Amino acid sequence: MDVRVQDYLDDKLQSTADLESLDTLLEAVRNSQQLLKQQLDVAKREHDSTARETEQHAQSLQTRGRAFQKDQHDIDQRLLIVTQSETSDEAVQKFEASMERLRRLDVAAGYVELLKEVNMLRRVCTAQLGKSDEAALEPYRRLQRLATALQPLQEVAEGAAPHLLDHIVRQVQNLRETIRKSFAADLEKLLKKMGWPKALDTIPLALQQEWSNVIFRLLDLQRPELEKLEQSNVARTTNFEPPALLPLEVMVQPLEQRFTYHFSGNKPTNRLDKPEYFLQHVLDLVSSYADFLHEAMQPLLTRHFRSTDLAFTPAYMDATSAFITALLPMLRRKLVSFTQQIDGQSQLLSHLVHEVMSFDTTLQDTYAFAPISPTMPFRGLAYFLLDTCGYFQQWLTGERDFALSRYHAIVEAPEAGELDYDSVGADTTKPTNMAINVNDLLETITDRYRTLSSFSGKLRFLIDVQIAIFDMFHQRLHASLEAYLAMTSSVGRTMHGLSREDQAELQGVKGLDRLCRVFGSAEYLERAMRDWSDDVFFVEMWDELQDRARKRNSISSKLGGLQEIQSKTSAAVGEEDGDEGVQGALFDETATAYHRLRVRSENQIVETVVYNIREALRPYGRIGTWASLSSSAAGGSISAELDPTLRLVAEYFAFLSRALGKVPLRRIGRHVGHAIQSYIWDNVLVRHTFSTAGAAQLATDVRALCTDLERYIGPGQAQAGMRRLLEGVTLVGLPVRGEMQRVLPSRAGMESYGEDDDDGAAAWDETDGDDAMGAETETKKLGLFEVERLIFMDNESARHVLEQLGLEVLSEGDARAVLERRVELGS
């Protein structure tokens, strides 16, 4: 038995009960067998049908193949007969050559038809001129559209018909010129009727319709060209120059004839040293005809362009701007001929550029002239003259040479190095005459290129002229400071062989005067550069420089590269903005150099004053009678040994208070106070022993030093520099209990050496009543021995008693070192 049958029976008959359903099982098997037989019959029929169709298709292919071979044979025979060839390949080549000639003939026929159409449109247009101008424009527009449509076809065909396209384009141009001349002649006739170029208020009523018609015809003729030009300049860069409108070109012609008459040849108005004559003449023309244009031309331009994209271009939409645009070609031609006549004469070129810049500024300020877009400034005729005509380098060289000659004249003037006490306020550092004049020169230079439209031109002027002069003046100041340092050093005096008279010029107030010249000049120009960095002109230049530097490829090669610009202006050029933005300015590098020079010269002033004062204090440091001074002689007058120092302080600071501003004077005063404090502390206070009378004398002397210093640098400033010394004098002058009623050091008064009033000053002899009484009560409670016991007990007790005495600067070690100098505590 088949295995599958056995498996099937085992699955269906698993128990005795399954035998009862045997009939049902047999019936199901018979039905399945019948169904399979039916499916088999259908499959056999489909197979037979498919086999028959396959055989028929094969027979059909064979038949078609035999027919194709027969046709191919016939074609080859015919081709051989037609071409009189011996082989099929040769016959094919000859046949293809014949077909190519036929194709060329067909193309030539098409060209001829096209040329016939072009010629027909040209004849129709020409015939209609003078009869119906509107009818004349229609064939011209068709011809123009035809020429425009052929352009892309020529590109697709890889330049297959250049001569045909060139011929059609020339025909269009010639026809356009013919129409323009006809329409322009009509406008000229009308203008003669109106008395043009006589200034008019408005169009006569009888001529208004004719005026509108002729203007609109010229605008209609030009409009397709303007739209095409507008589409090709969607980006609207500053290089785009809108053409003049045809009606205004016609109106400008008699004005140009008058201009040529007055400003050419040997006319007295045509002077090479007076370019402002012809520039002012053009401004007068604009001013004279502005009202007429607004009344007669503006409504027509608005009606013609308002529904088009051309309405966004002021040179088309605004009558005054359109009139100025029509005048500019005349001016450009004049500038070209003018510059050829003054070639090589830098002064005349400089004057011309200055007047042209002034002309550009007047157009922008008075008439808001921006021909491309209201948001895009007019580059001006200065750009045409300097960049387009290539006169920038010649002009820059002339300006630089003039600026340098003026600079040398300033610094070589007899009184150039003298301090100017009258040009600035009393509380301001005094610059030298040459620093003021150099600053004025540089401000004048800024005005020379402020209105340039070219960014690269402005930056080159800044670097090559302004920053160059800043650097030259810095080198001069630096060399002056180096010469002073070299001649005041012991080695320098020996090497230079200075006489006593020369040495006297470098010492005392005269030496300070030389240093103050460097300091005042450096501070004045550094402050000027910081102020310039906030000027709108330089801020805009900085922003544009940053933008170009970040793009890298926008930096012109004429500027020397990014690193060169960074070294001349600021290291922050090209850096990305952080959270707080990049803090930078065009004069960063130069201002930093002047700042370093200012700081160095100030430090030298401090060193000079401190050295001389320390030398003057030497006799005072050698006083040895502090412990034996009697009470009757103490505190009544200043020690005689201190007189040289007081005279030196008065001499130096009387000069410095006039030469320096309040802030640097106070800085120097505090440094001097620190130096005096250091010297007296080390050589007097902690070196000698003091009795009560000696301490009182020391207090009187220190008070005199503070008083003399503060007479010049301001109340409280000397005390701030000698706070430690003042507190040490207060501590060493504490009386013993038996002397407290007789010799009370007035803690409130002594403490006032180191305490400021509300204005930062100190009151030497006056204190608030309540504070003084409280302080006196505390002092009475703490005599010398009580303070000594607490100071030497431990650090905590020492800090507490110092706080009670109001001594805030002294440390515990300082207090112990000072108290040890009292005679009463010497044991």
Side-chain angles (χ1 to χ4, degrees):
M1 184 182 297
D2 191 281
V3 176
R4 290 176 294 176
V5 175
Q6 183 177 353
D7 291 340
Y8 179 77
L9 293 176
D10 290 341
D11 181 60
K12 299 296 182 180
L13 303 175
Q14 297 181 2
S15 64
T16 307
D18 292 334
L19 294 175
E20 296 179 358
S21 60
L22 183 60
D23 294 337
T24 305
L25 180 62
L26 291 173
E27 185 66 24
V29 171
R30 291 190 190 97
N31 292 336
S32 298
Q33 185 180 18
Q34 188 66 27
L35 180 61
L36 289 173
K37 286 180 179 181
Q38 293 175 357
Q39 293 176 349
L40 181 61
D41 292 340
V42 171
K44 287 180 178 180
R45 287 194 298 272
E46 291 178 351
H47 176 267
D48 294 340
S49 175
T50 303
R52 287 193 300 272
E53 291 177 356
T54 302
E55 185 177 358
Q56 292 174 359
H57 181 67
Q59 292 176 357
S60 175
L61 287 177
Q62 292 176 0
T63 302
R64 291 170 60 188
R66 287 192 294 270
F68 175 78
Q69 291 176 354
K70 182 180 178 181
D71 293 341
Q72 179 68 40
H73 180 70
D74 292 342
I75 291 172
D76 291 342
Q77 291 300 321
R78 293 175 185 175
L79 193 60
L80 291 173
I81 294 172
V82 170
T83 59
Q84 298 180 355
S85 303
E86 295 180 359
T87 62
S88 300
D89 293 339
E90 182 182 355
V92 169
Q93 292 177 358
K94 290 183 178 180
F95 185 75
E96 287 179 348
S98 299
M99 292 300 295
E100 178 63 22
R101 286 194 294 272
L102 287 175
R103 189 186 66 79
R104 290 179 179 177
L105 180 60
D106 185 58
V107 170
Y111 285 173
V112 171
E113 290 296 326
L114 185 60
L115 291 174
K116 287 172 61 179
E117 182 180 1
V118 169
N119 193 39
M120 182 269 295
L121 290 173
R122 185 181 60 80
R123 286 200 310 271
V124 171
C125 179
T126 306
Q128 292 294 332
L129 282 176
K131 299 177 181 178
S132 174
D133 292 333
E134 293 296 333
L137 283 176
E138 182 57 31
Y140 167 73
R141 293 193 184 104
R142 288 178 55 190
L143 190 57
Q144 192 177 45
R145 287 195 295 270
L146 177 62
T148 304
L150 287 176
Q151 292 283 356
L153 296 178
Q154 170 76 354
E155 295 175 1
V156 172
E158 299 180 355
H163 300 296
L164 175 67
L165 182 61
D166 180 66
H167 173 75
I168 294 175
V169 170
R170 280 190 286 106
Q171 289 293 324
V172 172
Q173 292 174 347
N174 293 337
L175 184 58
R176 188 257 189 196
E177 184 62 19
T178 302
I179 299 173
R180 187 199 68 80
K181 289 180 179 179
S182 177
F183 289 176
D186 294 339
L187 179 56
E188 288 174 359
K189 294 177 183 177
L190 178 60
L191 290 173
K192 287 182 180 179
K193 294 179 184 179
M194 296 163 48
W196 184 266
K198 181 181 67 175
L200 303 172
D201 294 331
T202 184
I203 302 295
L205 185 61
L207 301 177
Q208 285 185 358
Q209 186 60 44
E210 185 180 358
W211 167 261
S212 300
N213 292 338
V214 71
I215 295 296
F216 280 140
R217 282 198 294 269
L218 283 168
L219 293 177
D220 287 338
L221 175 64
Q222 191 180 17
R223 180 169 169 176
E225 302 168 8
L226 297 180
E227 290 176 342
K228 181 180 178 181
L229 192 62
E230 194 74 14
Q231 291 173 0
S232 62
N233 292 278
V234 178
R236 288 190 177 252
T237 63
T238 54
N239 295 325
F240 173 62
E241 292 184 358
L245 296 179
L246 291 180
L248 290 161
E249 277 189 351
V250 176
M251 297 174 67
V252 163
Q253 286 177 2
L255 301 178
E256 184 174 354
Q257 293 173 357
R258 183 190 297 175
F259 181 87
T260 303
Y261 174 80
H262 288 292
F263 302 106
S264 63
N266 297 323
K267 301 295 188 300
T269 51
N270 185 38
R271 295 176 53 179
L272 296 180
D273 60 336
K274 294 292 182 181
E276 57 267 31
Y277 284 178
F278 69 82
L279 293 171
Q280 185 59 45
H281 176 76
V282 174
L283 292 177
D284 292 341
L285 289 178
V286 177
S287 176
S288 300
Y289 295 107
D291 294 338
F292 169 76
L293 293 169
H294 182 74
E295 293 294 330
M297 184 66 71
Q298 186 61 60
L300 302 181
L301 296 180
T302 302
R303 189 166 16 145
H304 190 268
F305 291 118
R306 64 185 175 187
S307 59
T308 69
D309 292 338
L310 300 176
F312 299 103
T313 305
Y316 311 143
M317 193 64 178
D318 179 67
T320 305
S321 296
F323 183 64
I324 296 173
T325 303
L327 291 171
L328 289 181
M330 172 185 73
L331 275 175
R332 292 191 182 101
R333 290 190 293 272
K334 176 61 180 177
L335 286 175
V336 170
S337 65
F338 196 92
T339 49
Q340 290 173 353
Q341 297 177 63
I342 63 172
D343 190 23
Q345 303 181 59
S346 58
Q347 291 184 352
L348 293 179
L349 178 62
S350 176
H351 181 57
L352 173 64
V353 173
H354 175 72
E355 293 299 330
V356 170
M357 287 183 180
S358 177
F359 175 82
D360 293 338
T361 303
T362 302
L363 288 184
Q364 295 179 65
D365 294 345
T366 305
Y367 302 103
F369 183 62
I372 304 174
S373 170
T375 59
M376 191 173 296
F378 175 49
R379 288 198 302 183
L381 290 176
Y383 181 86
F384 169 79
L385 176 62
L386 297 175
D387 289 72
T388 307
C389 297
Y391 284 95
F392 177 79
Q393 186 58 50
Q394 183 178 341
W395 172 67
L396 178 63
T397 302
E399 291 291 325
R400 182 175 60 235
D401 292 344
F402 171 78
L404 292 179
S405 64
R406 181 75 186 99
Y407 166 78
H408 289 301
I410 289 172
V411 299
E412 292 170 6
E415 297 181 355
E418 301 294 330
L419 293 176
D420 189 338
Y421 293 94
D422 302 323
S423 61
V424 294
D427 294 337
T428 306
T429 300
K430 308 307 180 294
T432 57
N433 292 320
M434 61 180 176
I436 296 174
N437 293 330
V438 166
N439 181 69
D440 293 341
L441 171 64
L442 294 172
E443 288 181 349
T444 303
I445 291 173
T446 302
D447 295 334
R448 302 291 290 179
Y449 74 95
R450 183 183 291 271
T451 56
L452 277 179
S453 59
S454 170
F455 171 76
S456 60
K458 289 189 286 190
L459 192 59
R460 284 192 62 192
F461 209 109
L462 170 74
I463 293 175
D464 293 354
V465 182
Q466 278 187 301
I467 293 181
I469 290 178
F470 268 128
D471 292 343
M472 292 174 62
F473 193 64
H474 176 270
Q475 292 172 4
R476 185 180 184 88
L477 295 177
H478 183 267
S480 176
L481 180 60
E482 290 294 334
Y484 173 83
L485 296 177
M487 289 186 292
T488 52
S489 65
S490 57
V491 176
R493 287 193 297 270
T494 304
M495 292 180 61
H496 291 87
L498 296 178
S499 63
R500 291 185 178 181
E501 291 77 9
D502 294 334
Q503 293 183 20
E505 292 294 323
L506 300 173
Q507 296 174 354
V509 172
K510 291 183 177 180
L512 290 180
D513 179 66
R514 294 192 60 164
L515 293 174
C516 287
R517 294 178 184 184
V518 177
F519 176 83
S521 299
E523 184 187 72
Y524 184 77
L525 290 179
E526 179 192 357
R527 186 170 62 250
M529 280 182 275
R530 303 298 184 193
D531 293 339
W532 288 2
S533 297
D534 296 330
D535 186 280
V536 175
F537 171 69
F538 292 111
V539 170
E540 290 176 349
M541 277 190 66
W542 170 257
D543 291 340
E544 187 166 357
L545 176 60
Q546 282 288 68
D547 183 62
R548 289 175 178 240
R550 288 165 186 160
K551 294 178 181 177
R552 303 290 176 178
N553 57 352
S554 298
I555 295 292
S556 173
S557 58
K558 299 178 182 178
L559 301 176
L562 181 59
Q563 292 183 347
E564 178 70 17
I565 294 174
Q566 288 176 332
S567 66
K568 295 293 186 181
T569 57
S570 172
V573 173
E575 293 184 0
E576 295 294 334
D577 292 344
D579 295 337
E580 299 179 357
V582 174
Q583 299 297 324
L586 289 172
F587 297 98
D588 277 357
E589 294 298 319
T590 311
T592 301
Y594 274 84
H595 173 76
R596 289 195 295 264
L597 182 62
R598 176 180 64 80
V599 171
R600 189 180 177 196
S601 57
E602 181 179 336
N603 291 338
Q604 188 58 42
I605 293 173
V606 171
E607 290 180 11
T608 301
V609 174
V610 166
Y611 174 80
N612 290 334
I613 287 181
R614 290 177 68 90
E615 289 297 313
L617 282 172
R618 289 186 181 277
Y620 187 75
R622 290 193 289 267
I623 297 176
T625 59
W626 302 105
S628 59
L629 197 64
S630 64
S631 299
S632 60
S637 60
I638 302 170
S639 300
E641 291 81 357
L642 194 62
D643 288 343
T645 303
L646 294 176
R647 285 195 299 270
L648 193 64
V649 167
E651 181 184 6
Y652 280 2
F653 280 91
F655 168 74
L656 292 176
S657 63
R658 294 182 63 231
L660 302 181
K662 182 181 294 184
V663 175
L665 181 64
R666 287 183 174 181
R667 285 198 302 266
I668 293 172
R670 289 187 178 184
H671 281 295
V672 171
H674 286 310
I676 294 174
Q677 170 181 270
S678 176
Y679 186 89
I680 295 179
W681 183 280
D682 294 336
N683 295 279
V684 179
L685 185 59
V686 297
R687 176 171 294 185
H688 300 284
T689 55
F690 295 86
S691 63
T692 303
Q697 182 62 47
L698 179 61
T700 300
D701 294 341
V702 172
R703 182 186 304 153
L705 285 171
C706 287
T707 301
D708 278 18
L709 272 174
E710 292 185 349
R711 182 180 300 127
Y712 302 104
I713 66 175
Q717 300 303 314
Q719 299 174 42
M722 296 191 289
R723 185 69 178 270
R724 180 171 176 241
L725 176 62
L726 292 169
E727 293 188 0
V729 171
T730 300
L731 186 60
V732 79
L734 288 175
V736 296
R737 280 195 176 274
E739 298 175 334
M740 289 179 71
Q741 298 300 324
R742 287 188 298 106
V743 188
L744 186 65
S746 182
R747 176 212 163 266
M750 291 299 293
E751 187 181 353
S752 66
Y753 298 161
E755 295 181 354
D756 297 345
D757 60 11
D758 293 338
D759 296 327
W764 285 105
D765 302 319
E766 297 180 2
T767 58
D768 183 85
D770 295 338
D771 292 343
M773 290 299 294
E776 186 175 342
T777 302
E778 283 186 9
T779 308
K780 287 180 179 180
K781 292 180 179 178
L782 296 175
L784 176 64
F785 293 105
E786 289 84 357
V787 171
E788 182 266 344
R789 179 176 59 81
L790 293 171
I791 288 291
F792 285 93
M793 180 180 297
D794 53 47
N795 286 341
E796 184 177 355
S797 299
R799 284 194 296 270
H800 179 69
V801 73
L802 290 175
E803 290 176 2
Q804 282 187 307
L805 294 172
L807 307 180
E808 301 172 354
V809 176
L810 286 181
S811 65
E812 295 86 345
D814 289 339
R816 289 165 185 154
V818 169
L819 285 178
E820 287 176 348
R821 310 317 299 171
R822 278 298 292 266
V823 174
E824 293 84 352
L825 303 177
S827 61

